[in-house]
Amino acid sequence: MVVIGVTYGDVINPSWPSERVILVHDKLKIRDDSLYLFSEDERLSMIKELVSGWDNVTVHTSNKLIVDYAHENKASVLLRGVRNFSDFSYEFDLSLLNKGLASDIETVFLPTDPEFFVLRSSSIKELAAFNGDISKMVPPLVEKALKEKYGIIE
């Protein structure tokens, strides 16, 4: 089975019994890239580094509909990480849309570890900008990148 994870975070587990896990960094955005702290290349690079130790996980970018990308890669499952009801509501609506486009592809929702369920990237970025301790909220690679972005030298 080939699984496509369209979000990265606590939901990826390298021990899943899957022949391949493909993480897709979705290039289709409604928002302007200027709203992101990190460029697309920076985000992609961090994701690749974070999963580099897992042989069955690869990272790709796509500017196609995720169901079209799934078909091209012979994937039958989309993994969506959810932290709370708002995430679930949004992801559920997307899953219905995707099911209407490709009835052969299933969406599986995985709740994040309770340790991360209230975290929003905007809150973490704000805390990092004030040199707050984010070490338990993000991987060390991301913590370092955030501190560099905000010019915090330790």
Side-chain angles (χ1 to χ4, degrees):
M1 171 176 50
V2 178
V3 175
I4 292 186
V6 284
T7 56
Y8 179 76
D10 187 50
V11 299
I12 301 302
N13 183 334
S15 65
W16 286 330
S18 175
E19 90 186 45
R20 277 193 309 155
V21 176
I22 303 171
L23 295 180
V24 178
H25 176 64
D26 191 356
K27 288 176 131 181
L28 291 175
K29 300 181 204 67
I30 296 172
R31 300 186 312 198
D32 183 337
D33 226 12
S34 64
L35 297 176
Y36 291 102
L37 179 62
F38 296 104
S39 71
E40 182 179 307
D41 288 340
E42 289 171 320
R43 293 189 310 268
L44 185 61
S45 176
M46 283 190 276
I47 294 168
K48 284 182 175 181
E49 190 170 334
L50 288 168
V51 300
S52 64
W54 300 336
D55 294 337
N56 66 329
V57 178
T58 58
V59 180
H60 303 267
T61 60
S62 176
N63 58 2
K64 301 176 180 182
L65 292 173
I66 193 65
V67 292
D68 293 340
Y69 186 86
H71 282 143
E72 288 176 12
N73 287 276
K74 298 177 178 49
S76 56
V77 177
L78 301 177
L79 293 178
R80 304 299 290 212
V82 293
R83 296 170 299 181
N84 53 39
F85 182 74
S86 296
D87 281 358
F88 177 78
S89 178
Y90 174 77
E91 296 294 347
F92 183 76
D93 286 349
L94 280 181
S95 75
L96 293 176
L97 181 66
N98 288 334
K99 194 65 160 175
L101 294 171
S103 62
D104 58 321
I105 297 176
E106 296 297 330
T107 300
V108 175
F109 302 102
L110 296 174
T112 190
D113 186 302
E115 177 181 5
F116 302 113
F117 80 102
V118 295
L119 301 178
R120 293 194 183 300
S121 64
S122 58
S123 299
I124 293 170
K125 287 185 283 189
E126 185 173 355
L127 186 58
F130 286 101
N131 200 21
D133 182 9
I134 58 169
S135 63
K136 293 185 172 108
M137 301 173 198
V138 296
L141 166 76
V142 176
E143 179 183 19
K144 181 178 183 244
L146 282 166
K147 287 181 178 184
E148 287 173 1
K149 275 287 183 186
Y150 290 118
I152 298 169
I153 301 167
E154 297 200 352

